[in-house]
Amino acid sequence: MEAPKFKKINLFQLVMLALGSLIGSGWLFGSWEATKIAGPAAIFSWIIGGLVIGSIAYDYVEIGAMFPESGGMSKYAQYSHGSLLGFIAAWANWVSLITLIPIEAVAAVQYMSTWPWSWARWTHHFLSNGVITTSGLFVVFGFIIVFTALNFWSVTILTRFTSLISVFKIGIPLLTIVMLTLSGFHPGNYGSNLHDFMPYGSAPIFTATSAAGIIFSFDAFQTVINMGGEIEHPKKNIGRGITISLLISGILYVILQSTFITAIPPKMIAATGWHGIVFNSPFADMAILLGIHWLSVLLYMDAFVSPFGTGVSFVANTARALFAMEGNRHVPHFLGKINLKYGIPRNAMMINTLLSMVMVTVFRSWAVLATVLSTATLIAYLTGPVTAVSLRKMGPKLYRPIRLKRLSWIAPFSFVLASLATYWAMWPTTVQVILIILLGLPFYFYYEWRNHFVSTRQAFKASGWMIGYLIFISIMSYIGSHQFNGQNWIPYPLDFIVIIIASLGFYWWGIRSYVVTEDFGKAQKLNQEAKERGEMEDDQ
């Protein structure tokens, strides 16, 4: 019987899907959160955040083209270092993804809670002191259910929806930039000296990168990787999709941050300082402050559209990540079932929906969810550069549609940046997220027990570097500088130097810990299939 054929995603749809994920609640809240933390110097936070994620994405371009498969981000580490590292990476990535779905719903509900119209007073009970209330929580649940429903039937519906919504999502931020600049342009807000530009010093620039949702705002490049098996011409389009979408969103975010800084009335800054600027719906509140009421209405609408598009895209992404974890043989088998009619992992999608509701019930603040998400993501991404270089050692003759020329130095560079960004999330967030990741280990040991612990010792040996790294970064977060909530036993910026040196040591350990298992054999078969498809496309 011939396997059902599903419509593939072309480059335009792929870029729109990625932008639909990238431009979400990050633009609605990130500029304000970053400015509160770092003042005008927050513009550097976006550049640093883009550099962190861009360098990590570079590593994944080569791997994604080698193994174009759905949910690929949950499998790569297992190909190079066995089941335990694969499980840790997949679980950390999955934790970040099930956090991202409710964070977009929370963003929409938070903007709803400040609707200024008399008929909308009932929405004002959805938020209290920056935290979603019980009544608001049920509205968040409603958004999550709708996100899921739009993914439940087919990839075609998803791509048509996201392509349409992404055009709107790009247009509103651009309009906001133009109108706020015309109505309230105060370049003097950047200051006339270094103290004005960095009123709280240099350390908050780095803090804002992880704690203001900046890393989270760039995280969605993995949408392209996780849709690998459904992409048309993956040899070309995986790299192009990631590069184009990250460039567009990065430029947009930097300009939005600058616009936010220059639009704030100088009197407000003089009265409260950057720390004291409080908005519940930042850009909409700014538009009302400047008398552009029609723009505030559009922004309240976009507070539905931007998070909506991202939430819908990541329901698909998260389902594929959990579906792929079943292939690692350490989660229940039913999660790996695909609906034959629509080609969608419905069981995984429903489990993610329920767990997203649990996550937002526990963490009801946008800022807290963003920090948890960023830290979990970075821990998962630490395996990317190690895996990319290890695969070159393990399989030098594997088919590589894209062979990165600068991988030898960008891989350790991206590992160091990811380590620093994890540290910037501050104590105790770093340890809390690591503990959430460790909660998945009982699943791993249960399935290892069922398999009679055949390869457990080998898996631990191959993953020793990651276990050591997690212990190191937890201790470092506690004893590090007070600027990052540590005990200041190692002051700033000496703490950065310690992390850089230690990270290079763990990276060196990691690329020498690869192990050839049956999972690598599966990777070779998948790579051969990619080679055959690539040759067919070249012939056409």
Side-chain angles (χ1 to χ4, degrees):
M1 183 176 176
E2 192 174 321
K5 294 181 179 179
F6 308 117
K7 186 175 177 61
K8 296 282 186 176
I9 301 171
N10 63 35
L11 179 60
F12 174 77
Q13 292 172 327
L14 185 64
V15 171
M16 290 296 103
L17 188 62
L19 287 174
S21 304
L22 282 159
I23 305 173
S25 60
W27 92 265
L28 294 168
F29 291 97
S31 295
W32 167 59
E33 292 281 0
T35 304
K36 278 200 308 177
I37 294 170
I43 197 161
F44 283 157
S45 302
W46 288 95
I47 295 169
I48 293 169
L51 183 63
V52 172
I53 294 298
S55 64
I56 292 169
Y58 183 89
D59 304 319
Y60 280 104
V61 167
E62 179 168 307
I63 311 173
M66 289 171 68
F67 310 110
E69 57 182 327
S70 295
M73 295 282 286
S74 298
K75 295 184 176 181
Y76 301 143
Q78 184 151 335
Y79 292 158
S80 61
H81 287 77
S83 61
L84 179 56
L85 186 67
F87 182 85
I88 292 171
W91 188 273
N93 189 50
W94 178 63
V95 166
S96 73
L97 291 174
I98 61 167
T99 308
L100 196 145
I101 297 169
I103 200 176
E104 298 303 325
V106 166
V109 172
Q110 182 162 335
Y111 262 70
M112 282 179 68
S113 72
T114 61
W115 279 353
W117 308 291
S118 57
W119 59 266
R121 288 175 182 168
W122 57 278
T123 66
H124 297 176
H125 301 293
F126 293 165
L127 192 77
S128 177
N129 298 320
V131 177
I132 296 294
T133 62
T134 301
S135 59
L137 192 62
F138 285 105
V139 182
V140 170
F141 289 168
F143 274 102
I144 293 172
I145 290 168
V146 174
F147 294 166
T148 303
L150 282 168
N151 278 273
F152 207 66
W153 283 277
S154 76
V155 171
T156 303
I157 293 174
L158 170 64
T159 52
R160 286 177 179 171
F161 175 80
T162 51
S163 293
L164 175 65
I165 211 170
S166 295
V167 174
F168 186 81
K169 289 175 69 170
I170 295 170
I172 296 298
L174 289 174
L175 180 63
T176 301
I177 289 167
V178 172
M179 293 311 303
L180 291 186
T181 300
L182 291 174
S183 302
F185 184 57
H186 308 288
N189 287 352
Y190 275 109
S192 57
N193 54 59
L194 192 62
H195 180 265
D196 290 343
F197 182 68
M198 295 192 298
Y200 311 116
S202 59
I205 296 173
F206 304 107
T207 302
T209 303
S210 293
I214 292 174
I215 292 290
F216 147 66
S217 298
F218 285 111
D219 176 49
F221 83 86
Q222 66 169 286
T223 301
V224 178
I225 301 290
N226 280 330
M227 300 290 281
E230 294 147 84
I231 295 172
E232 190 177 87
H233 307 303
K235 175 180 176 179
K236 298 176 181 178
N237 289 344
I238 287 177
R240 290 175 179 176
I242 291 173
T243 303
I244 294 169
S245 57
L246 277 179
L247 278 175
I248 292 173
S249 58
I251 292 168
L252 187 62
Y253 281 136
V254 169
I255 297 173
L256 277 165
Q257 179 65 74
S258 181
T259 302
F260 187 86
I261 291 167
T262 57
I264 297 173
K267 290 182 180 179
M268 181 181 289
I269 302 167
T272 66
W274 295 98
H275 278 342
I277 296 172
V278 178
F279 292 129
N280 284 325
S281 306
F283 278 104
D285 290 346
M286 182 77 77
I288 292 172
L289 186 66
L290 297 176
I292 322 170
H293 293 279
W294 63 268
L295 179 62
S296 70
V297 174
L298 275 179
L299 286 164
Y300 282 123
M301 289 174 57
D302 190 66
F304 279 99
V305 176
S306 287
F308 210 88
T310 303
V312 168
S313 297
F314 265 89
V315 165
N317 202 355
T318 309
R320 284 160 179 79
L322 184 55
F323 156 76
M325 285 176 67
E326 189 277 332
N328 296 349
R329 303 180 304 281
H330 287 89
V331 295
H333 178 66
F334 77 93
L335 294 173
K337 290 185 178 180
I338 288 280
N339 179 278
L340 293 178
K341 183 176 180 181
Y342 297 112
I344 287 175
R346 282 184 167 180
N347 290 341
M349 194 175 290
M350 294 305 297
I351 292 296
N352 287 334
T353 298
L354 293 174
L355 290 176
S356 293
M357 292 178 178
V358 172
M359 186 68 78
V360 74
T361 302
V362 176
F363 302 108
R364 299 192 185 189
S365 161
W366 186 92
V368 173
L369 284 167
T371 307
V372 169
L373 188 154
S374 298
T375 310
T377 297
L378 288 164
I379 291 171
Y381 285 166
L382 284 165
T383 62
V386 172
T387 293
V389 174
S390 296
L391 286 170
R392 285 198 174 179
K393 295 173 179 290
M394 298 169 69
K397 295 183 180 179
L398 286 173
Y399 170 65
R400 287 177 169 80
I402 303 171
R403 186 177 181 88
L404 302 172
K405 296 179 181 179
R406 300 172 182 83
L407 184 66
S408 60
W409 69 267
I410 289 186
F413 177 70
S414 61
F415 189 94
V416 167
L417 285 182
S419 297
L420 287 168
T422 302
Y423 175 71
W424 298 337
M426 300 194 298
W427 174 272
T429 303
T430 305
V431 174
Q432 289 171 342
V433 173
I434 289 172
L435 289 175
I436 291 172
I437 292 168
L438 294 179
L439 287 176
L441 288 180
F443 284 98
Y444 176 81
F445 287 115
Y446 170 73
Y447 283 96
E448 285 295 295
W449 170 74
R450 287 186 57 178
N451 293 326
H452 308 291
F453 298 104
V454 173
S455 59
T456 308
R457 184 174 180 179
Q458 182 189 49
F460 262 86
K461 186 177 179 181
S463 305
W465 66 273
M466 175 58 88
I467 296 168
Y469 174 85
L470 292 176
I471 294 170
F472 161 76
I473 203 68
S474 298
I475 294 172
M476 193 64 202
S477 183
Y478 179 74
I479 69 174
S481 62
H482 67 80
Q483 287 91 339
F484 300 94
N485 273 359
Q487 296 296 306
N488 209 41
W489 296 355
I490 304 177
Y492 172 81
L494 185 60
D495 49 351
F496 281 24
I497 296 171
V498 173
I499 289 172
I500 290 168
I501 294 171
S503 296
L504 289 172
F506 283 111
Y507 169 80
W508 179 87
W509 182 3
I511 63 174
R512 283 161 176 76
S513 299
Y514 64 82
V515 59
V516 177
T517 64
E518 61 177 294
D519 292 298
F520 181 65
K522 292 178 181 178
Q524 288 176 309
K525 291 180 182 178
L526 182 64
N527 183 253
Q528 182 61 34
E529 293 172 7
K531 181 179 180 181
E532 291 169 1
R533 285 198 299 270
E535 289 172 347
M536 287 176 59
E537 289 173 2
D538 290 340
D539 291 339
Q540 292 173 359

